Amino acid sequence: MVPWGKSKKFTAFLVSASIFGSMWIAPVNGSTKVQAAEQALTQENFDQIANGKLPAGWKLVEGDAKVVDGKLVLTSPSSGAPARVVIPLGNQTGNYVFEADMTFQSAVEDTRWASLMYRVQPNTYPYYQFAMRKGTTAMNGLEFAIRNESNQWVVPETNFYPENMAINKTYHIKVIASGNRVQQFIDGQLMVDTDQAGKWTNGDVGFQANGTTVQFDNVMVNTYSNALPPLANTNAFLPKEVKTNIVNPPTIISKTVVQEGASSVLLQAKRNEQGQWTVDGAPIEKALVNMKGKFIPVVQVEEHADIEGLANILKETQTQDFQILSSNPAIIKEMRGYIKTARGALLYDKSSFNKHDIAAFARNIHNSDAMVAVIPKKILSPDNVHYLHSRAISVWGIGAGDVQSAHTMIHLGVDGIVTENPSASFEALGQYPENTLVQRPVVAAHRGVPSIAPENTMASYRKAYELGADMIETDVQRTKDGQLVIMHDYTVDRTTNGKGNVKDLTLEQIRALDAGIKFKPEFQGEKVPTFKEYLNEFKDKDVVLLVEIKADGIEKQVMEEIEQSGMVDNVVIQSFNANHIRNTHSINPEVGTGYLYSAGVPSTIDARLKKAQQMMHYGASMNATLNADYGSLNPEFIQYMRQRGFLNMHWTFRNEDPFGQALEAGVVGPITDYTQWLTDAPIRLELPNKMVNLKVGKSAAIQVKTFVNYREAKTENTPTTLFVNSGETKVKIEGNTIHAIEPGKVNVFAMHTFKMLGKEWHLVSEPIEVTVSE
């Protein structure tokens, strides 16, 4: 935000602009109405305050706070010596908009903070506050905090900001308080939204610093007589979907019809002659407000102009849960520059889709900060979808105009269907038996196959490849002499015959160790691999390497070795350290990333959804998938991510029961020590033909083949049964034979039933359209 100038004219202009920034747009009979704060309680830019002083009536509660060169500066040398200033408001109202420009000048460490206090009680506590750590990218970087009657902290709500607050960079901070509802903003972006401020409904405002030196300017407090939107309208939500028995079914994105059963609605955003953003000729604000809490907006933009204006509309309408879709990567990138938690979807608009095209498109998706590929049905194939899935990219197909086409789309294995006719997809999704798979999930071999061979050795990696793993996971660290090696633990003690920290040993010392003898004598002599050895082993092979960065400061070297090996198209990076992910993405944004974490499962559905929303924003801010351990999963999380285009990997499956339960719940990317458990699972069914013509009284036997390996065009004859929907009389099914009974058309499905992970699964084919004539 531009600082106020010294002239009265410029000051008055910015007061007006700041009041406008305090407005919100509320739905009124399907339209929008702008409501503004009514009365200025205080405003101060400190230009007329002498150095070393405070404005008249302002109270220094503790510590060091004074005006310095037209700015209020609070100085706190440590957490034990905070600085706090209270601004009396006189009439003791508690419904107001409190805003100021805030700049960190220094911080003892990233955990230290500054805050806007509000509803401060007469003895200077209790109060509420919006606290911002210097390290705002931490999951608790932002707080809605309460200093209670016992003068102790209670922190009911936390969040993060997509970037750490920079030293000497100014941020505009705003709090809107109305009854028990409070919203807290940074640079116009809603960051904390709560209804837990009902205990104290009036009070003063103020500033606090804790272990930081921070300056404030352009302070304004205006009364706020409106009601904030109900929390239910801004909370995380799950759009209602049609019932289906397909495991991990595609979500539906409606192109034209707002229809229950679809999770998202596509909004074609265009600017009119006056430069206003519209959807179908009406202001886009109207569509965004009307959809809130019901559908996820997918905002398609093809005109590369005034993206900032559109971003401001999304902020003003408090639209946080949305996808930005475009065929132009620069539009997605620019939108994400204004709203860093926006999710990107890149539209493929070329006619061919060969091996070179898909590799370039995957790089483009990552580079544009998108996570979803949107591709017309006519150029999609199951192999294309698998290629993108293995690179942490979700796939939405465009098409499915009728039921038969919807079945075809489902069997491509897409994660979403963008369609003008949602009803066709709803009908198709309802026609499958329980526990139906249309494709096997993407399987990541954890450190190779440590259930069979010693972890993180070339023997284990080669075995994983032999068993058909789609991805092979590993861990990278750096030696004392600066070489990258494969090792999970920070010491070599557990997996080798040596002792010591990896970082304290040279490459020569580590290579002299035996990494196999502790596992089984037959693996004696296995070496600790170098990262280059691991990369080169799988060059030009159809497998993706899932690389976990274990040590700080190695991101650049890791990427250099990936690039030198020519493996950029076949690597995904993951880490438990979010800074590793951010650094990797900045070094080479063409490589996909995943954030590893573990978290408890909240006890209520609302809390689980809120946690899913927070983690989704966190992943989106880094353009990383959310690779949580499977104990962190719950049905709401899985559905929430699927509806929003997140293709996450989950670790580490070592027992069949939770593995099978996770697949039933819709997990797409399991990471496992037991790749062999899925090796013999069929990939998909292949029909000899999709249309059969029969005369009444005639029969046709259908022989279906099964694809058994993603890497080879290898099929096998497989036992299948045929079925039709209940009540169908035009044909009679016996085993794999169709008998024509009466004229008409009917869909006949082939089904192969098999056991995997102790459960029974049904691999179902695309339907055969049978036409019976006289």
Side-chain angles (χ1 to χ4, degrees), residues 478-548:
R478 187 155 60 189
T479 65
K480 182 179 181 180
D481 52 346
Q483 302 299 309
L484 297 180
V485 294
I486 304 298
M487 181 69 63
H488 175 269
D489 297 359
Y490 292 104
T491 74
V492 300
D493 301 16
R494 180 176 61 87
T495 57
T496 78
N497 61 347
K499 289 189 177 298
N501 296 318
V502 174
K503 65 183 179 63
D504 295 330
L505 299 171
T506 66
L507 177 62
E508 183 179 0
Q509 288 173 318
I510 289 177
R511 290 289 281 179
L513 302 176
D514 191 319
I517 187 63
K518 281 190 173 181
F519 186 82
K520 280 183 181 178
E522 64 195 81
F523 291 102
Q524 182 175 356
E526 276 293 320
K527 301 296 182 185
V528 174
T530 65
F531 186 48
K532 289 178 182 176
E533 185 181 5
Y534 165 77
L535 291 168
N536 290 330
E537 173 70 22
F538 297 104
K539 186 173 181 178
D540 300 323
K541 292 182 180 177
D542 187 11
V543 68
V544 173
L545 305 181
L546 183 59
V547 177
E548 182 182 342

Side-chain angles (χ1 to χ4, degrees), residues 2 59 62 140 185 247 253 255 266-267 278 292 345 357 397 400 508 549 662 737 763 773:
V2 180
K59 180 180 179 181
E62 60 183 323
N140 63 346
F185 300 80
V247 172
I253 303 95
K255 287 182 75 172
L266 185 65
L267 303 178
T278 65
K292 190 158 287 187
D357 295 329
E508 183 179 0
I549 294 177
T737 300
L763 192 65
S773 58

Side-chain angles (χ1 to χ4, degrees), residues 182-232:
V182 168
Q183 294 184 330
Q184 301 178 160
F185 300 80
I186 299 177
D187 284 345
Q189 185 78 36
L190 178 62
M191 302 310 304
V192 176
D193 197 4
T194 183
D195 61 358
Q196 298 190 62
K199 191 160 189 179
W200 304 288
T201 57
N202 56 26
D204 298 326
V205 298
F207 302 106
Q208 186 165 189
N210 185 288
T212 60
T213 297
V214 62
Q215 69 178 28
F216 295 94
D217 199 4
N218 304 326
V219 179
M220 294 186 65
V221 185
N222 297 296
T223 58
Y224 190 81
S225 59
N226 308 317
L228 283 168
L231 195 58

Side-chain angles (χ1 to χ4, degrees), residues 139-330:
M139 292 299 293
N140 63 346
L142 306 174
E143 294 180 349
F144 163 72
I146 303 170
R147 193 70 175 181
N148 66 17
E149 302 96 320
S150 302
N151 205 17
Q152 295 177 330
W153 287 119
V154 177
V155 184
E157 304 268 358
T158 64
N159 202 359
F160 72 97
Y161 192 62
E163 63 183 55
N164 281 330
M165 288 199 162
I167 298 296
N168 296 325
K169 180 177 177 179
T170 299
Y171 299 85
H172 188 67
I173 314 300
K174 180 170 68 176
V175 173
I176 303 177
S178 176
N180 68 332
R181 292 279 285 107
V182 168
Q183 294 184 330
Q184 301 178 160
F185 300 80
I186 299 177
D187 284 345
Q189 185 78 36
L190 178 62
M191 302 310 304
V192 176
D193 197 4
T194 183
D195 61 358
Q196 298 190 62
K199 191 160 189 179
W200 304 288
T201 57
N202 56 26
D204 298 326
V205 298
F207 302 106
Q208 186 165 189
N210 185 288
T212 60
T213 297
V214 62
Q215 69 178 28
F216 295 94
D217 199 4
N218 304 326
V219 179
M220 294 186 65
V221 185
N222 297 296
T223 58
Y224 190 81
S225 59
N226 308 317
L228 283 168
L231 195 58
N233 288 358
T234 58
N235 267 354
F237 71 102
L238 290 175
K240 294 180 180 178
E241 294 182 313
V242 294
K243 180 174 172 51
T244 179
N245 290 318
I246 295 176
V247 172
N248 188 44
T251 192
I252 307 301
I253 303 95
S254 176
K255 287 182 75 172
T256 56
V257 182
V258 178
Q259 185 173 347
E260 188 173 292
S263 63
S264 303
V265 176
L266 185 65
L267 303 178
Q268 299 272 0
K270 298 179 180 179
R271 294 196 311 155
N272 62 17
E273 292 179 354
Q274 291 75 43
Q276 299 166 322
W277 284 101
T278 65
V279 173
D280 295 330
I284 191 172
E285 293 93 328
K286 180 178 179 179
L288 292 171
V289 170
N290 288 342
M291 289 172 58
K292 190 158 287 187
K294 303 183 188 77
F295 301 96
I296 306 161
V298 178
V299 183
Q300 182 173 2
V301 182
E302 298 299 337
E303 179 186 2
H304 197 181
D306 192 31
I307 304 302
E308 183 177 10
L310 180 58
N312 287 336
I313 290 171
L314 290 160
K315 288 179 181 180
E316 288 162 6
T317 55
Q318 298 184 5
T319 305
Q320 297 182 301
D321 184 3
F322 74 97
Q323 206 98 20
I324 182 74
L325 164 66
S326 183
S327 61
N328 185 344

Side-chain angles (χ1 to χ4, degrees), residues 472 474 476 531 534 545-549 558 571-574:
I472 299 175
T474 197
V476 181
F531 186 48
Y534 165 77
L545 305 181
L546 183 59
V547 177
E548 182 182 342
I549 294 177
V558 166
V571 168
V572 173
I573 302 291
Q574 63 176 3

Side-chain angles (χ1 to χ4, degrees), residues 27-138:
V28 181
N29 296 326
S31 63
T32 60
K33 181 171 74 175
V34 176
Q35 301 176 317
E38 294 176 348
Q39 177 188 355
L41 299 177
T42 190
Q43 59 185 59
E44 181 61 71
N45 65 7
F46 307 104
D47 288 350
Q48 307 304 317
I49 308 299
N51 281 343
K53 302 294 185 180
L54 290 175
W58 289 31
K59 180 180 179 181
L60 177 62
V61 177
E62 60 183 323
D64 182 4
K66 57 182 175 288
V67 171
V68 179
D69 297 332
K71 306 285 191 295
L72 174 65
V73 179
L74 277 69
T75 302
S76 167
S78 69
S79 60
R84 191 154 53 110
V85 172
V86 169
I87 308 170
L89 296 181
N91 64 0
Q92 290 295 295
T93 181
N95 295 340
Y96 39 59
V97 182
F98 175 28
E99 53 193 313
D101 291 340
M102 186 184 81
T103 309
F104 278 104
Q105 294 183 326
S106 67
V108 175
E109 58 186 11
D110 277 357
T111 59
R112 298 298 91 210
W113 49 267
S115 73
L116 271 64
M117 303 183 296
Y118 51 98
R119 294 184 179 170
V120 183
Q121 300 306 292
N123 65 348
T124 74
Y125 74 88
Y127 57 85
Y128 303 106
Q129 73 170 14
F130 181 17
M132 291 141 283
R133 300 183 191 277
K134 167 63 177 63
T136 37
T137 57

